mmCIF file with all atom_site columns, all heavy atoms in Angstrom:
data_model
loop_
_atom_site.group_PDB
_atom_site.id
_atom_site.type_symbol
_atom_site.label_atom_id
_atom_site.label_alt_id
_atom_site.label_comp_id
_atom_site.label_asym_id
_atom_site.label_entity_id
_atom_site.label_seq_id
_atom_site.pdbx_PDB_ins_code
_atom_site.Cartn_x
_atom_site.Cartn_y
_atom_site.Cartn_z
_atom_site.occupancy
_atom_site.B_iso_or_equiv
_atom_site.pdbx_formal_charge
_atom_site.auth_seq_id
_atom_site.auth_comp_id
_atom_site.auth_asym_id
_atom_site.auth_atom_id
_atom_site.pdbx_PDB_model_num
ATOM 1  N N   . HIS A 1 289 ? 7.032  5.880  24.618 1.00 93.00 ? 289 HIS A N   1
ATOM 2  C CA  . HIS A 1 289 ? 6.472  6.610  25.760 1.00 93.00 ? 289 HIS A CA  1
ATOM 3  C C   . HIS A 1 289 ? 6.029  8.015  25.400 1.00 93.00 ? 289 HIS A C   1
ATOM 4  O O   . HIS A 1 289 ? 5.874  8.890  26.243 1.00 93.00 ? 289 HIS A O   1
ATOM 5  C CB  . HIS A 1 289 ? 7.462  6.621  26.923 1.00 93.00 ? 289 HIS A CB  1
ATOM 6  C CG  . HIS A 1 289 ? 7.964  5.251  27.256 1.00 93.00 ? 289 HIS A CG  1
ATOM 7  N ND1 . HIS A 1 289 ? 9.302  4.933  27.316 1.00 93.00 ? 289 HIS A ND1 1
ATOM 8  C CD2 . HIS A 1 289 ? 7.298  4.085  27.478 1.00 93.00 ? 289 HIS A CD2 1
ATOM 9  C CE1 . HIS A 1 289 ? 9.435  3.645  27.581 1.00 93.00 ? 289 HIS A CE1 1
ATOM 10 N NE2 . HIS A 1 289 ? 8.238  3.114  27.675 1.00 93.00 ? 289 HIS A NE2 1
ATOM 11 N N   . ARG A 1 290 ? 5.859  8.239  24.101 1.00 91.00 ? 290 ARG A N   1
ATOM 12 C CA  . ARG A 1 290 ? 5.326  9.477  23.560 1.00 91.00 ? 290 ARG A CA  1
ATOM 13 C C   . ARG A 1 290 ? 5.073  9.217  22.087 1.00 91.00 ? 290 ARG A C   1
ATOM 14 O O   . ARG A 1 290 ? 5.399  8.140  21.592 1.00 91.00 ? 290 ARG A O   1
ATOM 15 C CB  . ARG A 1 290 ? 6.322  10.625 23.737 1.00 91.00 ? 290 ARG A CB  1
ATOM 16 C CG  . ARG A 1 290 ? 7.627  10.375 23.026 1.00 91.00 ? 290 ARG A CG  1
ATOM 17 C CD  . ARG A 1 290 ? 8.533  11.597 22.890 1.00 91.00 ? 290 ARG A CD  1
ATOM 18 N NE  . ARG A 1 290 ? 8.353  12.627 23.864 1.00 91.00 ? 290 ARG A NE  1
ATOM 19 C CZ  . ARG A 1 290 ? 9.351  13.214 24.535 1.00 91.00 ? 290 ARG A CZ  1
ATOM 20 N NH1 . ARG A 1 290 ? 10.591 12.808 24.344 1.00 91.00 ? 290 ARG A NH1 1
ATOM 21 N NH2 . ARG A 1 290 ? 9.123  14.187 25.370 1.00 91.00 ? 290 ARG A NH2 1
ATOM 22 N N   . MET A 1 291 ? 4.471  10.167 21.377 1.00 91.00 ? 291 MET A N   1
ATOM 23 C CA  . MET A 1 291 ? 4.282  9.935  19.947 1.00 91.00 ? 291 MET A CA  1
ATOM 24 C C   . MET A 1 291 ? 5.080  10.956 19.153 1.00 91.00 ? 291 MET A C   1
ATOM 25 O O   . MET A 1 291 ? 5.062  12.148 19.445 1.00 91.00 ? 291 MET A O   1
ATOM 26 C CB  . MET A 1 291 ? 2.800  10.039 19.570 1.00 91.00 ? 291 MET A CB  1
ATOM 27 C CG  . MET A 1 291 ? 2.549  9.698  18.111 1.00 91.00 ? 291 MET A CG  1
ATOM 28 S SD  . MET A 1 291 ? 0.806  9.760  17.694 1.00 91.00 ? 291 MET A SD  1
ATOM 29 C CE  . MET A 1 291 ? 0.874  9.465  15.936 1.00 91.00 ? 291 MET A CE  1
ATOM 30 N N   . PHE A 1 292 ? 5.773  10.475 18.142 1.00 88.00 ? 292 PHE A N   1
ATOM 31 C CA  . PHE A 1 292 ? 6.521  11.353 17.246 1.00 88.00 ? 292 PHE A CA  1
ATOM 32 C C   . PHE A 1 292 ? 5.688  11.639 16.011 1.00 88.00 ? 292 PHE A C   1
ATOM 33 O O   . PHE A 1 292 ? 4.816  10.860 15.648 1.00 88.00 ? 292 PHE A O   1
ATOM 34 C CB  . PHE A 1 292 ? 7.833  10.697 16.816 1.00 88.00 ? 292 PHE A CB  1
ATOM 35 C CG  . PHE A 1 292 ? 8.742  10.375 17.952 1.00 88.00 ? 292 PHE A CG  1
ATOM 36 C CD1 . PHE A 1 292 ? 8.942  9.067  18.359 1.00 88.00 ? 292 PHE A CD1 1
ATOM 37 C CD2 . PHE A 1 292 ? 9.402  11.394 18.633 1.00 88.00 ? 292 PHE A CD2 1
ATOM 38 C CE1 . PHE A 1 292 ? 9.781  8.762  19.423 1.00 88.00 ? 292 PHE A CE1 1
ATOM 39 C CE2 . PHE A 1 292 ? 10.243 11.099 19.690 1.00 88.00 ? 292 PHE A CE2 1
ATOM 40 C CZ  . PHE A 1 292 ? 10.435 9.781  20.086 1.00 88.00 ? 292 PHE A CZ  1
ATOM 41 N N   . ASP A 1 293 ? 5.994  12.745 15.360 1.00 84.00 ? 293 ASP A N   1
ATOM 42 C CA  . ASP A 1 293 ? 5.321  13.052 14.105 1.00 84.00 ? 293 ASP A CA  1
ATOM 43 C C   . ASP A 1 293 ? 5.869  12.109 13.036 1.00 84.00 ? 293 ASP A C   1
ATOM 44 O O   . ASP A 1 293 ? 7.060  12.064 12.790 1.00 84.00 ? 293 ASP A O   1
ATOM 45 C CB  . ASP A 1 293 ? 5.589  14.509 13.715 1.00 84.00 ? 293 ASP A CB  1
ATOM 46 C CG  . ASP A 1 293 ? 4.610  14.987 12.661 1.00 84.00 ? 293 ASP A CG  1
ATOM 47 O OD1 . ASP A 1 293 ? 3.774  14.182 12.217 1.00 84.00 ? 293 ASP A OD1 1
ATOM 48 O OD2 . ASP A 1 293 ? 4.690  16.166 12.284 1.00 84.00 ? 293 ASP A OD2 1
ATOM 49 N N   . GLU A 1 294 ? 4.964  11.339 12.416 1.00 69.00 ? 294 GLU A N   1
ATOM 50 C CA  . GLU A 1 294 ? 5.389  10.410 11.363 1.00 69.00 ? 294 GLU A CA  1
ATOM 51 C C   . GLU A 1 294 ? 5.843  11.207 10.151 1.00 69.00 ? 294 GLU A C   1
ATOM 52 O O   . GLU A 1 294 ? 5.272  12.251 9.840  1.00 69.00 ? 294 GLU A O   1
ATOM 53 C CB  . GLU A 1 294 ? 4.225  9.511  10.965 1.00 69.00 ? 294 GLU A CB  1
ATOM 54 C CG  . GLU A 1 294 ? 3.850  8.502  12.028 1.00 69.00 ? 294 GLU A CG  1
ATOM 55 C CD  . GLU A 1 294 ? 4.704  7.254  11.941 1.00 69.00 ? 294 GLU A CD  1
ATOM 56 O OE1 . GLU A 1 294 ? 5.058  6.855  10.827 1.00 69.00 ? 294 GLU A OE1 1
ATOM 57 O OE2 . GLU A 1 294 ? 5.000  6.695  13.001 1.00 69.00 ? 294 GLU A OE2 1
ATOM 58 N N   . VAL A 1 295 ? 6.840  10.700 9.474  1.00 56.00 ? 295 VAL A N   1
ATOM 59 C CA  . VAL A 1 295 ? 7.329  11.419 8.307  1.00 56.00 ? 295 VAL A CA  1
ATOM 60 C C   . VAL A 1 295 ? 6.481  11.090 7.086  1.00 56.00 ? 295 VAL A C   1
ATOM 61 O O   . VAL A 1 295 ? 6.144  11.945 6.286  1.00 56.00 ? 295 VAL A O   1
ATOM 62 C CB  . VAL A 1 295 ? 8.801  11.077 8.016  1.00 56.00 ? 295 VAL A CB  1
ATOM 63 C CG1 . VAL A 1 295 ? 9.362  12.024 6.977  1.00 56.00 ? 295 VAL A CG1 1
ATOM 64 C CG2 . VAL A 1 295 ? 9.605  11.153 9.295  1.00 56.00 ? 295 VAL A CG2 1
ATOM 65 N N   . SER A 1 296 ? 6.119  9.828  6.955  1.00 52.00 ? 296 SER A N   1
ATOM 66 C CA  . SER A 1 296 ? 5.458  9.415  5.726  1.00 52.00 ? 296 SER A CA  1
ATOM 67 C C   . SER A 1 296 ? 4.399  8.379  6.020  1.00 52.00 ? 296 SER A C   1
ATOM 68 O O   . SER A 1 296 ? 4.557  7.536  6.890  1.00 52.00 ? 296 SER A O   1
ATOM 69 C CB  . SER A 1 296 ? 6.498  8.832  4.766  1.00 52.00 ? 296 SER A CB  1
ATOM 70 O OG  . SER A 1 296 ? 5.847  8.062  3.796  1.00 52.00 ? 296 SER A OG  1
ATOM 71 N N   . ALA A 1 297 ? 3.293  8.467  5.293  1.00 44.00 ? 297 ALA A N   1
ATOM 72 C CA  . ALA A 1 297 ? 2.250  7.466  5.467  1.00 44.00 ? 297 ALA A CA  1
ATOM 73 C C   . ALA A 1 297 ? 2.490  6.271  4.558  1.00 44.00 ? 297 ALA A C   1
ATOM 74 O O   . ALA A 1 297 ? 1.776  5.299  4.595  1.00 44.00 ? 297 ALA A O   1
ATOM 75 C CB  . ALA A 1 297 ? 0.877  8.065  5.170  1.00 44.00 ? 297 ALA A CB  1
ATOM 76 N N   . GLY A 1 298 ? 3.505  6.351  3.716  1.00 49.00 ? 298 GLY A N   1
ATOM 77 C CA  . GLY A 1 298 ? 3.760  5.280  2.767  1.00 49.00 ? 298 GLY A CA  1
ATOM 78 C C   . GLY A 1 298 ? 4.545  4.139  3.367  1.00 49.00 ? 298 GLY A C   1
ATOM 79 O O   . GLY A 1 298 ? 4.737  3.103  2.747  1.00 49.00 ? 298 GLY A O   1
ATOM 80 N N   . SER A 1 299 ? 5.031  4.325  4.578  1.00 59.00 ? 299 SER A N   1
ATOM 81 C CA  . SER A 1 299 ? 5.734  3.222  5.223  1.00 59.00 ? 299 SER A CA  1
ATOM 82 C C   . SER A 1 299 ? 5.134  3.072  6.618  1.00 59.00 ? 299 SER A C   1
ATOM 83 O O   . SER A 1 299 ? 4.029  3.494  6.858  1.00 59.00 ? 299 SER A O   1
ATOM 84 C CB  . SER A 1 299 ? 7.225  3.523  5.273  1.00 59.00 ? 299 SER A CB  1
ATOM 85 O OG  . SER A 1 299 ? 7.435  4.812  5.789  1.00 59.00 ? 299 SER A OG  1
ATOM 86 N N   . GLY A 1 300 ? 5.856  2.494  7.517  1.00 77.00 ? 300 GLY A N   1
ATOM 87 C CA  . GLY A 1 300 ? 5.314  2.344  8.863  1.00 77.00 ? 300 GLY A CA  1
ATOM 88 C C   . GLY A 1 300 ? 4.846  0.928  9.124  1.00 77.00 ? 300 GLY A C   1
ATOM 89 O O   . GLY A 1 300 ? 4.715  0.120  8.213  1.00 77.00 ? 300 GLY A O   1
#
Side-chain angles (χ1 to χ4, degrees):
Chain A
H289 309 126
R290 61 167 25 132
M291 184 178 175
F292 300 108
D293 196 358
E294 290 275 325
V295 191
S296 161
S299 50

